[in-house]
């Protein structure tokens, strides 16, 4: 690109110089020759003034000398050279002046100016002044060389400016191309820098916006896959375990109970899938859940799912609902999913008894999930994806729960690090 910019600039400068220098060179030539003819005419006039009246009567008259480099000659009306320098007989230019007019022209390699000499309003002779064209051409040539030198300096300056401008123009474009190559190679953090050119900055901003949107889409897809695998792992494991126990025990009563539990878990799986898909399709910012259910139903389902898991580890799980909160309705799918994440986090990373307290905050429901352990992570990174202190952790659950709460118009916060206590705030739908 740099070569093309320089080439275009040089061609433009050359065209401008040609268009400017050609008429200027012609004007210089005409001006210098006009000056030379004017000098000859002034020399002839000066000599004609010195010619006395005696010349008309045929007396000898001498022309003044030394006032001009021109060859000055005096001719009578017969065309004979009477004094000074010039051809022996009058040339055509001199003969035209015999008519009483100032004549100019060329005689071979000489420029000629002829001025009539008048006495008593009668032409009595002609003064002829002539000089060679070599001196005029010498002056024209020097002027043309000066003009060519000026044009060369202008062309050199144009080339230097063009090269600098080419670097200025091509550098941001080359950087923009390098950024595009880096993005194509998988570096989604690459961004185009600002430059001093508004048009290129606009292209860079457009490219950065495109990369940011692509990055958001790719992260959205990756998060969806991670969220789905995280949320489905525990329900699927419980479903598989229940079916394996039913298959090992041929008792009809146990089989019926296992089938009912499997149906309940499959319905929970369906709700999980719907919630993860809803979160994946949600636009940034709060998106209040479309469906609200009784708070007591949410608590009952969560307690049934997790009571056995904690009991199997010898740990207590208690749910406490304030009386004023029992009749309220909340975004039930979101509430179940977030409670599942918090209880799974307490079972894997906490210790001791787990208490879930539900409080009516007036326009919102607050759910406190507390265990007797201490948070191993720094509070400032607890909701960052991938942040975990154990091999069994994935660092997905808590960030996912926070995103679900935000999408429902709520908030999930860490209240205390020891004993570990999380609080979920969910809005109560209008009219409740």
């Amino acid at each position: 690109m740099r070569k093309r910019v320089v080439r275009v600039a040089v061609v433009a400068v050359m065209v401008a110089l040609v268009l400017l220098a050609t008429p200027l060179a012609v004007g210089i030539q005409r001006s210098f020759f006009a000056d030379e003819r004017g000098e000859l005419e002034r020399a002839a006039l000066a000599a004609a003034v010195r010619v006395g009246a005696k010349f008309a009567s045929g007396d000898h008259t001498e022309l003044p000398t030394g006032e001009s480099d021109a060859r000055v000659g005096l001719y009578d009306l017969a065309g004979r050279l009477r004094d000074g320098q010039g051809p022996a007989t009058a040339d055509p230019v001199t003969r035209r002046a015999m008519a009483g007019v100032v004549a100019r022209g060329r005689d071979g390699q000489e420029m000629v100016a002829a001025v009539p000499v008048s006495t008593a309003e009668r032409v009595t002779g002609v003064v002829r002044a002539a000089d060679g064209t070599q001196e005029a051409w010498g002056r024209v040539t020097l002027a043309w060389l000066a003009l060519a030198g000026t044009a060369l300096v202008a062309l050199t300056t144009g080339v230097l400016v063009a090269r600098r401008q080419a670097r200025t123009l091509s550098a941001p474009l080359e950087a923009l191309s390098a950024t595009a190559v880096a993005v194509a190679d998988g570096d989604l953090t690459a961004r185009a820098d600002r430059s001093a050119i508004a048009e290129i900055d606009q292209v860079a901003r457009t490219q950065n916006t495109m990369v940011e949107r692509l990055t958001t889409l790719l992260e959205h897809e990756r998060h969806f896959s991670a969220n789905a695998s995280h949320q489905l792992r525990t329900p699927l494991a419980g479903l598989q375990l229940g079916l394996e126990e039913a298959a090992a025990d041929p008792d009809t009563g146990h089989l019926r109970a296992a089938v009912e539990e499997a149906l309940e878990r499959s319905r929970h799986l369906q709700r999980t899938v719907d919630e993860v898909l809803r979160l994946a399709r949600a636009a940034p910012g709060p998106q209040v859940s479309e469906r609200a259910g009784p708070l007591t139903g949410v608590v009952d389902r969560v307690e049934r799912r997790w009571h056995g898991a904690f009991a199997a580890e010898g740990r207590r799980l208690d749910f406490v609902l304030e009386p004023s909160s029992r009749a309220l309705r909340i975004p039930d799918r979101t509430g179940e999913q977030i409670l599942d994440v918090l209880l799974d986090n307490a079972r894997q990373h906490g210790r001791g008894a787990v208490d879930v307290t539900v409080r009516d905050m007036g326009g919102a429901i607050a759910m406190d999930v507390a265990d007797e352990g201490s948070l191993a992570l720094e509070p400032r990174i607890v909701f960052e994806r991938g942040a975990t202190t154990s091999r069994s952790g994935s660092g997905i659950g808590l960030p996912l729960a926070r995103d679900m709460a935000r999408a429902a118009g709520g908030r999930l916060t860490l209240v205390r690090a020891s004993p570990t206590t999380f609080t979920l705030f969910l809005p109560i739908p209008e009219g409740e």
Side-chain angles (χ1 to χ4, degrees):
M1 177 182 175
R2 295 187 182 185
K3 293 182 179 179
R4 287 195 294 271
V5 172
V6 172
R7 185 163 56 246
V8 170
V10 170
V11 170
V13 171
M14 292 182 66
V15 170
L17 288 176
V18 169
L19 293 178
L20 179 64
T22 300
L24 186 58
V26 174
I28 289 174
Q29 178 189 358
R30 292 180 177 178
S31 176
F32 281 14
F33 274 88
D35 289 345
E36 187 67 21
R37 286 191 291 270
E39 288 290 335
L40 292 176
E41 186 175 335
R42 285 190 291 273
L45 284 172
V49 171
R50 300 291 182 89
V51 175
K54 295 180 180 181
F55 180 72
S57 60
D59 294 342
H60 177 72
T61 302
E62 293 185 358
L63 295 173
T65 60
E67 296 184 1
S68 174
D69 294 335
R71 294 183 294 277
V72 180
L74 177 62
Y75 291 82
D76 58 19
L77 294 181
R80 296 188 301 270
L81 177 64
R82 299 288 298 275
D83 190 26
Q85 298 177 344
T89 59
D91 57 15
V93 177
T94 305
R95 293 187 181 278
R96 287 203 307 273
M98 294 177 182
V101 297
V102 176
R104 305 181 188 86
R106 297 185 63 173
D107 181 22
Q109 297 298 320
E110 288 185 326
M111 290 184 294
V112 178
V115 175
V117 177
S118 301
T119 302
E121 297 183 357
R122 184 171 63 87
V123 176
T124 58
V126 174
V127 175
R128 176 184 183 273
D131 197 2
T133 59
Q134 294 84 357
E135 183 178 353
W137 275 114
R139 294 170 59 196
V140 169
T141 301
L142 290 177
W144 282 358
L145 289 175
L147 179 62
T150 304
L152 182 61
V153 171
L155 180 60
T156 302
T157 304
V159 171
L160 295 177
V161 172
R163 294 184 63 180
R164 182 174 180 178
Q165 288 299 108
R167 287 194 299 269
T168 303
L169 289 173
S170 62
L173 289 177
E174 291 169 357
L176 190 63
S177 176
T179 302
V181 171
V183 172
D185 290 339
D187 182 9
L188 297 181
T189 62
R191 296 292 185 273
D193 296 327
R194 292 176 58 86
S195 67
I197 303 172
E199 292 78 5
I200 297 179
D201 281 348
Q202 179 61 39
V203 176
R205 286 193 296 270
T206 303
Q207 177 175 299
N208 289 341
T209 301
M210 176 191 66
V211 174
E212 288 172 1
R213 290 179 179 176
L214 288 176
T215 302
T216 300
L217 289 175
L218 290 175
E219 289 181 353
H220 210 57
E221 294 295 327
R222 287 198 294 265
H223 290 173
F224 169 73
S225 301
N227 294 342
S229 63
H230 181 274
Q231 290 300 93
L232 295 178
R233 182 176 63 250
T234 301
L236 282 175
L239 178 60
Q240 182 180 3
L241 181 60
L243 292 176
E244 289 175 352
E245 290 178 354
D249 189 350
D251 184 73
T252 304
H254 289 170
L255 183 60
R256 182 178 181 83
V259 171
E260 290 177 353
E261 183 180 356
L263 288 174
E264 173 62 26
R265 290 185 179 275
S266 66
R267 284 191 288 269
H268 178 61
L269 281 173
Q270 181 62 51
R271 291 193 295 270
T272 300
V273 171
D274 292 341
E275 184 65 17
V276 173
L277 287 175
R278 187 187 69 82
L279 181 63
R281 291 192 294 265
Q287 302 289 327
V288 179
S289 176
E290 299 179 359
R291 183 174 181 271
L295 173 62
T296 55
V298 173
V299 172
D300 289 342
R301 288 192 296 270
V302 173
E303 185 175 11
R304 285 198 303 269
R305 281 196 301 273
W306 288 98
H307 181 77
F310 280 94
E313 297 180 1
R315 298 172 64 183
R316 178 174 54 82
L317 174 62
D318 286 336
F319 284 80
V320 179
L321 277 72
E322 290 183 351
S324 60
S325 66
R326 290 181 176 276
L328 297 177
R329 298 170 66 86
I330 63 170
D332 56 351
R333 291 179 179 177
T334 300
E336 280 193 53
Q337 295 299 319
I338 297 176
L339 285 176
D340 283 344
V341 170
L342 295 177
L343 290 175
D344 183 58
N345 183 74
R347 185 177 67 87
Q348 292 192 45
H349 306 293
R351 62 183 179 86
V354 178
D355 295 317
V356 180
T357 305
V358 181
R359 297 175 285 124
D360 182 5
M361 301 295 293
I365 285 291
M367 299 183 183
D368 301 320
V369 179
D371 61 58
E372 298 177 355
S374 298
L375 187 67
L377 290 173
E378 293 185 23
R380 62 183 180 83
I381 65 170
V382 69
F383 290 111
E384 291 184 4
R385 279 189 172 263
T388 181
T389 58
S390 64
R391 295 182 179 178
S392 60
S394 60
I396 295 175
L398 291 177
L400 172 60
R402 179 198 55 186
D403 293 341
M404 286 182 176
R406 287 178 177 175
R411 181 164 51 94
L412 176 63
T413 61
L414 173 66
V415 179
R416 284 190 302 272
S418 180
T420 305
T421 304
F422 290 93
T423 299
L424 167 66
F425 297 93
L426 285 178
I428 298 175
E430 294 182 2
E432 295 298 327

